[in-house]
Amino acid sequence: MRELESHIFTEIEIDATADQVWAVLTDFEKLPEWSFSFQGVNKPMALGEVSTAYFKNPITGGMMEFTHEVIVYEAGRAFGWSGDVMLGRQDHHIFRIEEPANGRAKFRQEDGLNGKKRNFLIRMVEAQIAKTYVTFNQELKERVESIYPRS
């Protein structure tokens, strides 16, 4: 793998267990009910398998499909993929859930991007990607906390 030319990292704390966050995050059929961007995958994920992820374009609202190889799969804790995204770039996107000592889950998204040399357009697209990750994190938090309210 080539050295990463850019890295996007977002995280959020969710007032729920890691298992509860995992249950909502991986219920791919229900993602379109609450997620503006990530709309699901075409089949269950397994390490080394190829799957297609579906995203709503934040600018046009149209559907985008990205075929990726699953490079991380740890049931209940993490999944991620690697593949071509756009503009000659390849991503290495990982969703990870950790359960710190305080009982609140920490959800993280990381995306390492490499490939075609970064230019103004690529930087703009990467900034938009980062914004959608922050929005997705907040949407996930709200969905999980509404399904599993703490007293």
Side-chain angles (χ1 to χ4, degrees):
M1 177 175 21
R2 293 174 45 181
E3 184 176 326
L4 298 178
E5 295 173 6
S6 61
H7 185 256
I8 299 169
F9 177 85
T10 63
E11 69 180 11
I12 195 167
E13 201 168 274
I14 301 173
D15 193 14
T17 67
D19 290 340
Q20 291 168 332
V21 175
W22 181 261
V24 172
L25 177 64
T26 59
D27 188 350
F28 298 118
E29 290 182 13
K30 291 188 180 173
L31 275 173
E33 293 176 12
W34 58 267
S35 172
F36 174 77
S37 59
F38 186 24
Q39 300 292 290
V41 295
N42 68 329
K43 63 182 183 179
M45 284 194 242
L47 192 60
E49 293 290 320
V50 173
S51 68
T52 301
Y54 303 97
F55 292 87
K56 194 181 290 182
N57 184 310
I59 297 168
T60 68
M63 195 63 65
M64 301 182 301
E65 298 179 7
F66 298 101
T67 301
H68 297 98
E69 177 184 356
V70 177
I71 58 170
V72 173
Y73 188 84
E74 300 166 25
R77 294 298 179 253
F79 66 88
W81 52 62
S82 181
D84 294 334
V85 281
M86 61 184 71
L87 302 174
R89 306 288 282 169
Q90 185 176 57
D91 79 329
H92 306 282
H93 192 156
I94 299 174
F95 298 83
R96 186 172 306 280
I97 304 164
E98 298 175 2
E99 192 158 5
N102 68 5
R104 296 172 55 118
K106 187 174 283 187
F107 174 70
R108 296 180 171 167
Q109 284 193 76
E110 285 187 70
D111 206 342
L113 298 152
N114 63 31
K116 183 178 176 183
K117 186 174 177 170
R118 291 176 82 207
N119 58 30
F120 178 73
L121 181 58
I122 288 172
R123 284 184 178 89
M124 283 181 41
V125 169
E126 289 173 354
Q128 185 62 45
I129 289 170
K131 286 179 187 177
T132 63
Y133 291 177
V134 169
T135 299
F136 180 83
N137 293 1
Q138 187 62 43
E139 291 169 334
L140 177 63
K141 174 183 175 64
E142 290 170 9
R143 179 69 170 203
V144 171
E145 292 177 357
S146 72
I147 293 173
Y148 302 103
R150 300 248 177 134
S151 25

